[in-house]
Amino acid sequence: MANWLFKTEPDECSIDDFANAPDTPIVWEGVRNYQARNMLRDQVQKDDLVLIYHSSCKLIGVAGIARVVRPAYADPSQFNTASVYFDAKSSPDAPRWVAVDLVFVEKLPALIPLDKIKSSAKLNGLPLVQKGSRLSVMPVTAAQWQHILQLG
DNA sequence: GCCAACGTTGGC
DNA sequence: GCCAACGTTGGC
């Protein structure tokens, strides 16, 4: 079992969307980066735990935890012409992108801000804080996981 | 809204 | 397969 950090813009999908529907799986769709996709497709497994990270917003940081309930399958949004994630170059025969399903685990009592994560020497190796890294799906080691949550 | 950094595309 | 141009990400 592995741990992950997924980025999301809270305007699109926030930890509150999870918290408001604790029994409903949320389709994690719209990953359109090959490196992130490869991890989603090849490594993310059922029951893995995921830090939900809010980006491009006022309060940037880790907001809560979710759990994988369904591993990678063809992302339906790539075939949906009405979706912003529609990809004309993908076909049902050879889907290019994958989605996973997540369910709510918890909302952190207080969001763990990015600057705290940045200033923790023990988290230097986290792709999130590495210069130029734009991965929206990244692995988190057990030690990093603990350190992040300890900041809260 | 700026912009640095990275990713993708497409002509050659 | 190089690389310039363009697009995207995401913190600030």
Short mmCIF file of all heavy atoms in Angstrom, two decimals, chain A residues 61-128:
data_model
loop_
_atom_site.label_atom_id
_atom_site.label_comp_id
_atom_site.label_asym_id
_atom_site.label_seq_id
_atom_site.Cartn_x
_atom_site.Cartn_y
_atom_site.Cartn_z
N GLY A 61 -2.54 24.41 0.53
CA GLY A 61 -1.94 23.41 1.40
C GLY A 61 -2.76 22.14 1.46
O GLY A 61 -3.70 21.94 0.68
N VAL A 62 -2.37 21.27 2.41
CA VAL A 62 -3.03 19.97 2.55
C VAL A 62 -4.29 20.14 3.39
O VAL A 62 -4.22 20.59 4.54
CB VAL A 62 -2.08 18.95 3.19
CG1 VAL A 62 -2.82 17.66 3.51
CG2 VAL A 62 -0.90 18.67 2.28
N ALA A 63 -5.42 19.76 2.81
CA ALA A 63 -6.70 20.04 3.45
C ALA A 63 -7.33 18.81 4.09
O ALA A 63 -8.17 18.94 4.98
CB ALA A 63 -7.66 20.64 2.44
N GLY A 64 -6.94 17.64 3.63
CA GLY A 64 -7.57 16.44 4.18
C GLY A 64 -7.05 15.18 3.55
O GLY A 64 -6.05 15.19 2.83
N ILE A 65 -7.76 14.09 3.83
CA ILE A 65 -7.34 12.76 3.40
C ILE A 65 -8.51 12.04 2.73
O ILE A 65 -9.65 12.14 3.19
CB ILE A 65 -6.84 11.93 4.60
CG1 ILE A 65 -5.67 12.65 5.29
CG2 ILE A 65 -6.41 10.53 4.18
CD1 ILE A 65 -5.23 12.01 6.60
N ALA A 66 -8.18 11.33 1.66
CA ALA A 66 -9.17 10.49 0.99
C ALA A 66 -8.57 9.11 0.77
O ALA A 66 -7.37 8.90 0.98
CB ALA A 66 -9.60 11.11 -0.34
N ARG A 67 -9.42 8.18 0.35
CA ARG A 67 -8.96 6.80 0.14
C ARG A 67 -9.39 6.34 -1.24
O ARG A 67 -10.50 6.64 -1.70
CB ARG A 67 -9.54 5.89 1.22
CG ARG A 67 -9.16 4.42 1.10
CD ARG A 67 -9.50 3.65 2.39
NE ARG A 67 -10.83 4.03 2.91
CZ ARG A 67 -11.97 3.47 2.49
NH1 ARG A 67 -11.96 2.52 1.59
NH2 ARG A 67 -13.12 3.87 3.00
N VAL A 68 -8.53 5.58 -1.89
CA VAL A 68 -8.84 5.06 -3.22
C VAL A 68 -9.81 3.89 -3.07
O VAL A 68 -9.52 2.93 -2.36
CB VAL A 68 -7.55 4.59 -3.94
CG1 VAL A 68 -7.90 4.00 -5.31
CG2 VAL A 68 -6.55 5.73 -4.06
N VAL A 69 -10.96 3.99 -3.74
CA VAL A 69 -11.90 2.87 -3.70
C VAL A 69 -11.99 2.15 -5.04
O VAL A 69 -12.51 1.05 -5.12
CB VAL A 69 -13.31 3.32 -3.25
CG1 VAL A 69 -13.29 3.67 -1.77
CG2 VAL A 69 -13.83 4.46 -4.08
N ARG A 70 -11.48 2.78 -6.08
CA ARG A 70 -11.45 2.11 -7.38
C ARG A 70 -10.18 2.55 -8.11
O ARG A 70 -9.97 3.74 -8.32
CB ARG A 70 -12.68 2.50 -8.21
CG ARG A 70 -12.74 1.78 -9.54
CD ARG A 70 -13.97 2.19 -10.35
NE ARG A 70 -13.93 1.59 -11.67
CZ ARG A 70 -14.75 1.92 -12.67
NH1 ARG A 70 -15.66 2.87 -12.50
NH2 ARG A 70 -14.66 1.34 -13.84
N PRO A 71 -9.35 1.59 -8.47
CA PRO A 71 -8.10 1.94 -9.17
C PRO A 71 -8.39 2.37 -10.60
O PRO A 71 -9.54 2.43 -11.04
CB PRO A 71 -7.28 0.66 -9.10
CG PRO A 71 -8.28 -0.44 -8.96
CD PRO A 71 -9.46 0.15 -8.25
N ALA A 72 -7.34 2.62 -11.34
CA ALA A 72 -7.43 3.29 -12.63
C ALA A 72 -8.39 2.62 -13.62
O ALA A 72 -8.40 1.41 -13.79
CB ALA A 72 -6.04 3.38 -13.24
N TYR A 73 -9.18 3.47 -14.26
CA TYR A 73 -10.05 3.06 -15.37
C TYR A 73 -10.10 4.24 -16.35
O TYR A 73 -9.67 5.34 -16.01
CB TYR A 73 -11.45 2.66 -14.88
CG TYR A 73 -12.19 3.76 -14.14
CD1 TYR A 73 -13.13 4.55 -14.77
CD2 TYR A 73 -11.93 4.00 -12.79
CE1 TYR A 73 -13.81 5.55 -14.10
CE2 TYR A 73 -12.61 5.00 -12.10
CZ TYR A 73 -13.54 5.77 -12.76
OH TYR A 73 -14.20 6.76 -12.08
N ALA A 74 -10.61 3.98 -17.53
CA ALA A 74 -10.63 5.05 -18.54
C ALA A 74 -11.40 6.26 -18.03
O ALA A 74 -12.56 6.14 -17.64
CB ALA A 74 -11.25 4.51 -19.83
N ASP A 75 -10.78 7.40 -18.04
CA ASP A 75 -11.40 8.64 -17.58
C ASP A 75 -12.55 9.00 -18.53
O ASP A 75 -12.32 9.31 -19.70
CB ASP A 75 -10.34 9.74 -17.58
CG ASP A 75 -10.87 11.08 -17.13
OD1 ASP A 75 -12.11 11.26 -17.07
OD2 ASP A 75 -10.05 11.96 -16.84
N PRO A 76 -13.81 8.95 -18.04
CA PRO A 76 -14.94 9.20 -18.93
C PRO A 76 -14.91 10.59 -19.55
O PRO A 76 -15.40 10.80 -20.67
CB PRO A 76 -16.17 9.06 -18.02
CG PRO A 76 -15.68 8.54 -16.72
CD PRO A 76 -14.20 8.73 -16.66
N SER A 77 -14.31 11.55 -18.87
CA SER A 77 -14.38 12.94 -19.35
C SER A 77 -13.61 13.13 -20.65
O SER A 77 -13.89 14.07 -21.40
CB SER A 77 -13.85 13.90 -18.28
OG SER A 77 -12.47 13.72 -18.06
N GLN A 78 -12.68 12.24 -20.95
CA GLN A 78 -11.90 12.42 -22.19
C GLN A 78 -12.77 12.21 -23.44
O GLN A 78 -12.40 12.65 -24.52
CB GLN A 78 -10.70 11.48 -22.21
CG GLN A 78 -11.03 10.00 -22.38
CD GLN A 78 -9.85 9.12 -22.00
OE1 GLN A 78 -8.76 9.29 -22.52
NE2 GLN A 78 -10.06 8.18 -21.09
N PHE A 79 -13.91 11.53 -23.27
CA PHE A 79 -14.80 11.26 -24.41
C PHE A 79 -16.01 12.19 -24.43
O PHE A 79 -16.85 12.10 -25.31
CB PHE A 79 -15.30 9.81 -24.36
CG PHE A 79 -14.18 8.80 -24.24
CD1 PHE A 79 -14.17 7.89 -23.19
CD2 PHE A 79 -13.14 8.79 -25.16
CE1 PHE A 79 -13.13 6.97 -23.08
CE2 PHE A 79 -12.10 7.88 -25.05
CZ PHE A 79 -12.09 6.97 -24.00
N ASN A 80 -16.09 13.04 -23.44
CA ASN A 80 -17.25 13.91 -23.28
C ASN A 80 -16.98 15.27 -23.93
O ASN A 80 -16.24 16.09 -23.38
CB ASN A 80 -17.55 14.06 -21.78
CG ASN A 80 -18.72 15.00 -21.53
OD1 ASN A 80 -19.35 15.51 -22.46
ND2 ASN A 80 -19.00 15.23 -20.26
N THR A 81 -17.60 15.48 -25.07
CA THR A 81 -17.32 16.72 -25.80
C THR A 81 -17.72 17.96 -25.02
O THR A 81 -17.22 19.04 -25.28
CB THR A 81 -18.07 16.73 -27.16
OG1 THR A 81 -19.45 16.48 -26.92
CG2 THR A 81 -17.52 15.68 -28.09
N ALA A 82 -18.60 17.78 -24.05
CA ALA A 82 -19.04 18.93 -23.26
C ALA A 82 -18.08 19.24 -22.11
O ALA A 82 -18.22 20.25 -21.43
CB ALA A 82 -20.45 18.68 -22.72
N SER A 83 -17.14 18.35 -21.90
CA SER A 83 -16.24 18.52 -20.75
C SER A 83 -15.01 19.33 -21.13
O SER A 83 -14.52 19.25 -22.27
CB SER A 83 -15.80 17.15 -20.25
OG SER A 83 -14.73 17.29 -19.31
N VAL A 84 -14.51 20.10 -20.18
CA VAL A 84 -13.26 20.82 -20.45
C VAL A 84 -12.09 19.83 -20.58
O VAL A 84 -11.03 20.20 -21.07
CB VAL A 84 -12.93 21.82 -19.32
CG1 VAL A 84 -13.91 22.96 -19.30
CG2 VAL A 84 -12.88 21.14 -17.96
N TYR A 85 -12.30 18.62 -20.14
CA TYR A 85 -11.25 17.61 -20.21
C TYR A 85 -11.33 16.75 -21.47
O TYR A 85 -10.58 15.80 -21.63
CB TYR A 85 -11.31 16.70 -18.98
CG TYR A 85 -11.14 17.43 -17.68
CD1 TYR A 85 -12.09 17.34 -16.66
CD2 TYR A 85 -10.00 18.21 -17.45
CE1 TYR A 85 -11.92 18.01 -15.46
CE2 TYR A 85 -9.83 18.88 -16.25
CZ TYR A 85 -10.80 18.77 -15.26
OH TYR A 85 -10.63 19.43 -14.07
N PHE A 86 -12.27 17.09 -22.35
CA PHE A 86 -12.42 16.34 -23.59
C PHE A 86 -11.10 16.31 -24.37
O PHE A 86 -10.42 17.33 -24.48
CB PHE A 86 -13.52 16.96 -24.45
CG PHE A 86 -13.64 16.33 -25.81
CD1 PHE A 86 -14.12 15.03 -25.94
CD2 PHE A 86 -13.25 17.02 -26.95
CE1 PHE A 86 -14.24 14.44 -27.19
CE2 PHE A 86 -13.36 16.44 -28.21
CZ PHE A 86 -13.85 15.15 -28.33
N ASP A 87 -10.77 15.13 -24.89
CA ASP A 87 -9.56 14.98 -25.69
C ASP A 87 -9.89 14.28 -27.00
O ASP A 87 -10.13 13.07 -27.03
CB ASP A 87 -8.51 14.17 -24.91
CG ASP A 87 -7.19 14.06 -25.67
OD1 ASP A 87 -7.13 14.46 -26.86
OD2 ASP A 87 -6.22 13.57 -25.08
N ALA A 88 -9.92 15.06 -28.07
CA ALA A 88 -10.31 14.54 -29.38
C ALA A 88 -9.36 13.46 -29.88
O ALA A 88 -9.70 12.66 -30.74
CB ALA A 88 -10.37 15.69 -30.39
N LYS A 89 -8.17 13.44 -29.31
CA LYS A 89 -7.17 12.48 -29.79
C LYS A 89 -7.25 11.15 -29.05
O LYS A 89 -6.50 10.22 -29.37
CB LYS A 89 -5.76 13.07 -29.65
CG LYS A 89 -5.54 14.24 -30.59
CD LYS A 89 -4.16 14.83 -30.38
CE LYS A 89 -3.93 16.01 -31.33
NZ LYS A 89 -2.71 16.75 -30.95
N SER A 90 -8.12 11.08 -28.09
CA SER A 90 -8.29 9.81 -27.38
C SER A 90 -9.49 9.07 -27.94
O SER A 90 -10.43 9.69 -28.43
CB SER A 90 -8.52 10.09 -25.89
OG SER A 90 -8.53 8.88 -25.17
N SER A 91 -9.43 7.75 -27.91
CA SER A 91 -10.56 6.95 -28.40
C SER A 91 -10.88 5.85 -27.40
O SER A 91 -9.99 5.40 -26.69
CB SER A 91 -10.21 6.33 -29.75
OG SER A 91 -9.31 5.25 -29.55
N PRO A 92 -12.15 5.43 -27.38
CA PRO A 92 -12.54 4.36 -26.44
C PRO A 92 -11.71 3.09 -26.65
O PRO A 92 -11.50 2.32 -25.71
CB PRO A 92 -14.01 4.13 -26.78
CG PRO A 92 -14.48 5.43 -27.34
CD PRO A 92 -13.29 5.99 -28.10
N ASP A 93 -11.25 2.87 -27.88
CA ASP A 93 -10.41 1.70 -28.15
C ASP A 93 -9.07 1.78 -27.43
O ASP A 93 -8.54 0.78 -26.96
CB ASP A 93 -10.12 1.59 -29.66
CG ASP A 93 -11.38 1.22 -30.42
OD1 ASP A 93 -12.32 0.76 -29.76
OD2 ASP A 93 -11.41 1.42 -31.65
N ALA A 94 -8.54 2.98 -27.40
CA ALA A 94 -7.23 3.19 -26.79
C ALA A 94 -7.28 4.45 -25.94
O ALA A 94 -6.77 5.50 -26.34
CB ALA A 94 -6.15 3.31 -27.86
N PRO A 95 -7.92 4.35 -24.79
CA PRO A 95 -8.07 5.54 -23.95
C PRO A 95 -6.70 6.07 -23.52
O PRO A 95 -5.82 5.29 -23.18
CB PRO A 95 -8.84 5.03 -22.73
CG PRO A 95 -9.37 3.69 -23.11
CD PRO A 95 -8.46 3.15 -24.17
N ARG A 96 -6.58 7.35 -23.55
CA ARG A 96 -5.30 7.96 -23.24
C ARG A 96 -5.18 8.27 -21.75
O ARG A 96 -4.09 8.23 -21.19
CB ARG A 96 -5.17 9.24 -24.06
CG ARG A 96 -3.87 9.96 -23.90
CD ARG A 96 -3.80 11.18 -24.77
NE ARG A 96 -3.64 10.86 -26.18
CZ ARG A 96 -3.22 11.74 -27.10
NH1 ARG A 96 -2.93 12.97 -26.75
NH2 ARG A 96 -3.12 11.39 -28.36
N TRP A 97 -6.30 8.59 -21.13
CA TRP A 97 -6.25 9.09 -19.74
C TRP A 97 -7.05 8.19 -18.80
O TRP A 97 -8.02 7.56 -19.22
CB TRP A 97 -6.80 10.52 -19.70
CG TRP A 97 -6.14 11.42 -20.68
CD1 TRP A 97 -6.70 11.97 -21.79
CD2 TRP A 97 -4.78 11.86 -20.66
NE1 TRP A 97 -5.77 12.73 -22.46
CE2 TRP A 97 -4.59 12.69 -21.79
CE3 TRP A 97 -3.71 11.67 -19.79
CZ2 TRP A 97 -3.37 13.30 -22.07
CZ3 TRP A 97 -2.49 12.27 -20.08
CH2 TRP A 97 -2.33 13.08 -21.20
N VAL A 98 -6.65 8.19 -17.55
CA VAL A 98 -7.35 7.37 -16.56
C VAL A 98 -7.85 8.21 -15.39
O VAL A 98 -7.33 9.29 -15.11
CB VAL A 98 -6.46 6.23 -16.01
CG1 VAL A 98 -6.06 5.28 -17.14
CG2 VAL A 98 -5.23 6.76 -15.29
N ALA A 99 -8.85 7.66 -14.73
CA ALA A 99 -9.39 8.26 -13.51
C ALA A 99 -9.33 7.22 -12.41
O ALA A 99 -9.18 6.02 -12.68
CB ALA A 99 -10.84 8.69 -13.74
N VAL A 100 -9.42 7.67 -11.17
CA VAL A 100 -9.63 6.76 -10.05
C VAL A 100 -10.79 7.32 -9.24
O VAL A 100 -11.17 8.48 -9.40
CB VAL A 100 -8.38 6.62 -9.14
CG1 VAL A 100 -7.19 6.06 -9.91
CG2 VAL A 100 -8.01 7.95 -8.50
N ASP A 101 -11.38 6.48 -8.38
CA ASP A 101 -12.43 6.95 -7.49
C ASP A 101 -11.90 7.05 -6.07
O ASP A 101 -11.18 6.16 -5.59
CB ASP A 101 -13.62 5.98 -7.51
CG ASP A 101 -14.42 6.07 -8.81
OD1 ASP A 101 -14.07 6.92 -9.66
OD2 ASP A 101 -15.37 5.30 -8.95
N LEU A 102 -12.28 8.13 -5.40
CA LEU A 102 -11.85 8.38 -4.03
C LEU A 102 -13.05 8.57 -3.13
O LEU A 102 -14.09 9.05 -3.57
CB LEU A 102 -11.02 9.67 -3.96
CG LEU A 102 -9.76 9.80 -4.82
CD1 LEU A 102 -9.13 11.17 -4.60
CD2 LEU A 102 -8.77 8.70 -4.49
N VAL A 103 -12.89 8.20 -1.86
CA VAL A 103 -13.91 8.56 -0.87
C VAL A 103 -13.26 9.35 0.26
O VAL A 103 -12.07 9.24 0.53
CB VAL A 103 -14.65 7.35 -0.26
CG1 VAL A 103 -15.55 6.69 -1.29
CG2 VAL A 103 -13.71 6.39 0.38
N PHE A 104 -14.11 10.10 0.92
CA PHE A 104 -13.70 10.94 2.04
C PHE A 104 -13.17 10.11 3.20
O PHE A 104 -13.74 9.08 3.56
CB PHE A 104 -14.92 11.74 2.51
CG PHE A 104 -14.66 12.66 3.67
CD1 PHE A 104 -13.85 13.78 3.51
CD2 PHE A 104 -15.23 12.41 4.90
CE1 PHE A 104 -13.63 14.64 4.58
CE2 PHE A 104 -15.02 13.27 5.97
CZ PHE A 104 -14.22 14.39 5.81
N VAL A 105 -12.08 10.54 3.78
CA VAL A 105 -11.59 9.95 5.03
C VAL A 105 -11.69 10.98 6.14
O VAL A 105 -12.36 10.78 7.14
CB VAL A 105 -10.14 9.43 4.90
CG1 VAL A 105 -9.61 8.98 6.26
CG2 VAL A 105 -10.08 8.28 3.89
N GLU A 106 -11.00 12.11 5.97
CA GLU A 106 -11.14 13.18 6.96
C GLU A 106 -10.74 14.52 6.40
O GLU A 106 -9.95 14.63 5.46
CB GLU A 106 -10.32 12.88 8.21
CG GLU A 106 -8.82 12.89 7.99
CD GLU A 106 -8.04 12.85 9.31
OE1 GLU A 106 -8.16 13.80 10.11
OE2 GLU A 106 -7.31 11.87 9.52
N LYS A 107 -11.33 15.55 6.99
CA LYS A 107 -10.89 16.91 6.74
C LYS A 107 -10.02 17.31 7.92
O LYS A 107 -10.42 17.12 9.08
CB LYS A 107 -12.11 17.84 6.65
CG LYS A 107 -11.73 19.29 6.44
CD LYS A 107 -12.97 20.19 6.32
CE LYS A 107 -12.53 21.65 6.18
NZ LYS A 107 -13.68 22.55 5.95
N LEU A 108 -8.84 17.82 7.67
CA LEU A 108 -7.96 18.19 8.76
C LEU A 108 -8.57 19.36 9.54
O LEU A 108 -9.21 20.23 8.94
CB LEU A 108 -6.58 18.59 8.21
CG LEU A 108 -5.84 17.47 7.50
CD1 LEU A 108 -4.48 17.96 7.00
CD2 LEU A 108 -5.64 16.26 8.40
N PRO A 109 -8.39 19.34 10.86
CA PRO A 109 -8.95 20.43 11.68
C PRO A 109 -8.47 21.79 11.19
O PRO A 109 -9.22 22.76 11.22
CB PRO A 109 -8.42 20.14 13.08
CG PRO A 109 -7.85 18.76 13.06
CD PRO A 109 -7.65 18.35 11.63
N ALA A 110 -7.22 21.83 10.74
CA ALA A 110 -6.70 23.05 10.14
C ALA A 110 -5.86 22.68 8.94
O ALA A 110 -5.07 21.73 9.00
CB ALA A 110 -5.86 23.83 11.14
N LEU A 111 -6.05 23.41 7.85
CA LEU A 111 -5.26 23.16 6.65
C LEU A 111 -3.77 23.34 6.96
O LEU A 111 -3.39 24.27 7.69
CB LEU A 111 -5.71 24.12 5.56
CG LEU A 111 -4.96 24.10 4.23
CD1 LEU A 111 -5.95 24.16 3.08
CD2 LEU A 111 -3.97 25.24 4.15
N ILE A 112 -2.96 22.45 6.43
CA ILE A 112 -1.51 22.55 6.62
C ILE A 112 -0.94 23.33 5.45
O ILE A 112 -0.94 22.86 4.32
CB ILE A 112 -0.88 21.15 6.71
CG1 ILE A 112 -1.44 20.40 7.93
CG2 ILE A 112 0.63 21.24 6.77
CD1 ILE A 112 -1.13 18.94 7.96
N PRO A 113 -0.50 24.56 5.74
CA PRO A 113 -0.13 25.45 4.64
C PRO A 113 1.17 25.06 3.95
O PRO A 113 2.07 24.48 4.57
CB PRO A 113 0.00 26.81 5.31
CG PRO A 113 0.21 26.53 6.75
CD PRO A 113 -0.36 25.19 7.04
N LEU A 114 1.24 25.42 2.69
CA LEU A 114 2.42 25.10 1.88
C LEU A 114 3.70 25.65 2.50
O LEU A 114 4.73 24.96 2.49
CB LEU A 114 2.24 25.67 0.47
CG LEU A 114 3.45 25.52 -0.46
CD1 LEU A 114 3.81 24.06 -0.66
CD2 LEU A 114 3.18 26.19 -1.79
N ASP A 115 3.66 26.86 3.05
CA ASP A 115 4.92 27.42 3.57
C ASP A 115 5.46 26.61 4.75
O ASP A 115 6.66 26.52 4.94
CB ASP A 115 4.78 28.92 3.90
CG ASP A 115 3.63 29.21 4.85
OD1 ASP A 115 2.99 28.25 5.32
OD2 ASP A 115 3.38 30.39 5.12
N LYS A 116 4.55 26.00 5.51
CA LYS A 116 5.01 25.12 6.59
C LYS A 116 5.69 23.89 6.03
O LYS A 116 6.70 23.41 6.54
CB LYS A 116 3.83 24.70 7.48
CG LYS A 116 3.64 25.55 8.71
CD LYS A 116 2.72 24.82 9.69
CE LYS A 116 2.68 25.54 11.04
NZ LYS A 116 1.77 24.85 12.00
N ILE A 117 5.08 23.35 4.99
CA ILE A 117 5.66 22.16 4.36
C ILE A 117 7.02 22.50 3.76
O ILE A 117 7.98 21.75 3.91
CB ILE A 117 4.70 21.63 3.27
CG1 ILE A 117 3.39 21.17 3.92
CG2 ILE A 117 5.34 20.50 2.47
CD1 ILE A 117 2.29 20.80 2.94
N LYS A 118 7.10 23.66 3.16
CA LYS A 118 8.36 24.10 2.56
C LYS A 118 9.46 24.29 3.59
O LYS A 118 10.62 24.03 3.33
CB LYS A 118 8.16 25.44 1.84
CG LYS A 118 7.67 25.31 0.42
CD LYS A 118 7.63 26.70 -0.21
CE LYS A 118 7.35 26.64 -1.69
NZ LYS A 118 7.05 28.00 -2.22
N SER A 119 9.07 24.76 4.77
CA SER A 119 10.10 25.08 5.76
C SER A 119 10.50 23.87 6.60
O SER A 119 11.36 23.98 7.46
CB SER A 119 9.65 26.25 6.65
OG SER A 119 8.44 25.90 7.29
N SER A 120 9.90 22.74 6.35
CA SER A 120 10.31 21.53 7.07
C SER A 120 11.40 20.79 6.29
O SER A 120 11.18 20.31 5.19
CB SER A 120 9.10 20.61 7.25
OG SER A 120 9.53 19.32 7.66
N ALA A 121 12.59 20.74 6.90
CA ALA A 121 13.74 20.12 6.22
C ALA A 121 13.46 18.66 5.89
O ALA A 121 13.98 18.14 4.90
CB ALA A 121 14.98 20.24 7.10
N LYS A 122 12.66 18.03 6.71
CA LYS A 122 12.39 16.61 6.49
C LYS A 122 11.54 16.37 5.25
O LYS A 122 11.38 15.23 4.81
CB LYS A 122 11.66 16.03 7.71
CG LYS A 122 12.58 15.88 8.91
CD LYS A 122 11.79 15.48 10.14
CE LYS A 122 12.75 15.22 11.31
NZ LYS A 122 12.03 15.01 12.57
N LEU A 123 11.00 17.44 4.69
CA LEU A 123 10.12 17.28 3.52
C LEU A 123 10.78 17.79 2.23
O LEU A 123 10.12 17.96 1.21
CB LEU A 123 8.79 17.99 3.77
CG LEU A 123 7.99 17.36 4.91
CD1 LEU A 123 6.79 18.21 5.28
CD2 LEU A 123 7.53 15.95 4.54
N ASN A 124 12.10 17.98 2.30
CA ASN A 124 12.84 18.45 1.12
C ASN A 124 12.65 17.56 -0.10
O ASN A 124 12.69 18.03 -1.22
CB ASN A 124 14.35 18.48 1.43
CG ASN A 124 14.72 19.67 2.27
OD1 ASN A 124 13.92 20.60 2.41
ND2 ASN A 124 15.90 19.66 2.84
N GLY A 125 12.46 16.28 0.16
CA GLY A 125 12.40 15.33 -0.95
C GLY A 125 11.03 15.21 -1.58
O GLY A 125 10.86 14.52 -2.58
N LEU A 126 10.07 15.88 -1.00
CA LEU A 126 8.71 15.81 -1.55
C LEU A 126 8.65 16.57 -2.88
O LEU A 126 9.01 17.74 -2.92
CB LEU A 126 7.75 16.42 -0.53
CG LEU A 126 6.26 16.15 -0.68
CD1 LEU A 126 5.96 14.67 -0.46
CD2 LEU A 126 5.47 17.00 0.31
N PRO A 127 8.19 15.92 -3.94
CA PRO A 127 8.14 16.60 -5.23
C PRO A 127 7.42 17.94 -5.17
O PRO A 127 7.77 18.89 -5.87
CB PRO A 127 7.38 15.61 -6.12
CG PRO A 127 7.66 14.28 -5.51
CD PRO A 127 7.79 14.51 -4.02
N LEU A 128 6.43 18.02 -4.31
CA LEU A 128 5.63 19.25 -4.17
C LEU A 128 6.50 20.49 -3.97
O LEU A 128 6.18 21.55 -4.49
CB LEU A 128 4.68 19.10 -2.96
CG LEU A 128 3.75 20.27 -2.70
CD1 LEU A 128 2.65 20.31 -3.74
CD2 LEU A 128 3.16 20.19 -1.30
#
